[in-house]
Amino acid sequence: MTRLRIAIVGDRFMKPDYFRRALEAVPGLAFEARTLELDWPDTPMVHGEPGTELEGLREFVGDPDAIADFIGDAEVLINHVAPVSAAMLARLPALKLIAVSRGGPVNIDMAAARSRGIPVVNAPGRNASAVAEFTIGMILAETRLITLGHRSLSQGEWRGDLYREDRTGEELSCQVVGVIGYGHIGTRVVRLLKPFGCSILVNDPYVALRPEDAADGVEQVGLEELLRRSDIVTLHARVTEETKGFIGQQQFAQMKRGAYFINTARGPLVDYDALYEALRSGHLRGAGLETFAIEPPPPDWPLLRLDNVTLTPHIAGASRRTIAYAAEMVAEEVRRFVAGEPALNPA
């Protein structure tokens, strides 16, 4: 029996062994696999420089020549954050499938793959549960002053004043939460918010409200109404040409005075200079930021110095279940490819 040649490029989050074990669990799949482990996330991702063979690729780690040498005669590439450029594909005539274990294959030259007839599949929603849980934690950290209390106590200051009526936070059950983006993550955020008893608004011009959410009192509204009515706004939209910077000065001005803004989606969605001014002026009471326009953000970035912001280094999607689920999704796509079945998640 011919064994499928598979090259697995993992890293210190998506460990290659997870992919191998998921493939081994596929009944009847005969394969031989070689593995490579990159040093992400200990080494930050980069973006392709203009004028280089990696121009247009985003969020990748690894040397393209070394990675192409490693892939060699493989028929299937299982990948997470390694770049795949047109020049690399020209050196890989045996390659028949690229499976990327992330929500968007931004590290792959999709045009080059299509021109060579190489299908690319990805893993949308792999970390949806993890990010949704993290979002709830971020909301609580800001609205209940967990971050501020921790920061002050770790610096030797006992902030008894945080118990004062004019300083303490409000319970979620008494607030209106606006969810922008109602996809894999946004729908889960809504589901997790319901037991808290808060009022929930949803904005997404491309997705209709689920019947079960409508029955539970969730409202689908326009963006301006959501901003105007919400005590907490949490962002879960995808980055497109339409959504880049679509939360800016005007949108923050439309929010309630004393509201909170949470971004566990993507940095390019937000004008962070405008957010800084809204926080510094006191128009917004606080923010929770998990992603940034530049990662890592520069050490002198003004938002790093505000005491009404919870900051985390793009870790919302990092859970062991995310790893296992992404590997399972990739293995199922490989099974379908071998069986001649249509891909579940073509990129």
Side-chain angles (χ1 to χ4, degrees), residues 189-209:
V189 170
V190 169
R191 187 185 311 158
L192 294 177
L193 283 170
K194 289 179 186 179
F196 287 93
C198 52
S199 298
I200 304 171
L201 308 178
V202 165
N203 170 256
D204 193 320
Y206 303 107
V207 183
L209 199 65

Side-chain angles (χ1 to χ4, degrees), residues 201 219-230 254:
L201 308 178
E219 296 180 62
Q220 189 162 20
V221 299
L223 179 59
E224 185 174 342
E225 181 178 352
L226 181 145
L227 296 172
R228 176 173 51 81
R229 292 174 56 188
S230 297
Q254 290 171 345

Side-chain angles (χ1 to χ4, degrees), residues 84-229:
V84 178
S85 67
M88 293 170 65
L89 290 174
R91 296 170 53 185
L92 304 170
L95 197 60
K96 300 175 182 176
L97 175 70
I98 300 172
V100 185
S101 62
R102 61 195 300 182
V106 295
N107 50 322
I108 311 297
D109 188 327
M110 292 298 299
R114 291 190 186 102
S115 70
R116 292 182 171 273
I118 302 173
V120 179
V121 295
N122 62 330
R126 60 167 187 154
N127 60 7
S129 178
V131 176
E133 288 186 359
F134 196 95
T135 300
I136 303 302
M138 188 74 86
I139 290 172
L140 293 172
E142 269 302 309
T143 61
R144 299 305 306 278
L145 306 183
I146 295 171
T147 298
L148 182 57
H150 166 78
R151 183 183 294 122
S152 57
L153 193 57
S154 67
Q155 296 172 354
E157 182 182 8
W158 180 267
R159 291 288 302 274
D161 64 301
L162 298 183
Y163 214 102
R164 282 174 16 187
E165 182 275 337
D166 61 337
R167 297 302 306 274
T168 192
E170 185 58 271
E171 296 179 22
L172 269 176
S173 62
C174 303
Q175 300 194 78
V176 177
V177 182
V179 180
I180 301 175
Y182 191 61
H184 289 289
I185 297 170
T187 53
R188 284 171 171 80
V189 170
V190 169
R191 187 185 311 158
L192 294 177
L193 283 170
K194 289 179 186 179
F196 287 93
C198 52
S199 298
I200 304 171
L201 308 178
V202 165
N203 170 256
D204 193 320
Y206 303 107
V207 183
L209 199 65
R210 294 184 177 188
E212 60 268 31
D213 288 339
D216 289 335
V218 178
E219 296 180 62
Q220 189 162 20
V221 299
L223 179 59
E224 185 174 342
E225 181 178 352
L226 181 145
L227 296 172
R228 176 173 51 81
R229 292 174 56 188

Side-chain angles (χ1 to χ4, degrees), residues 46-65 67 82-88 106-109:
V46 296
H47 305 289
E49 295 290 336
T52 70
E53 73 165 275
L54 299 176
E55 181 177 359
L57 304 189
R58 298 187 289 115
E59 298 180 4
F60 61 83
V61 169
D63 176 72
D65 289 331
I67 291 166
V84 178
S85 67
M88 293 170 65
V106 295
N107 50 322
I108 311 297
D109 188 327

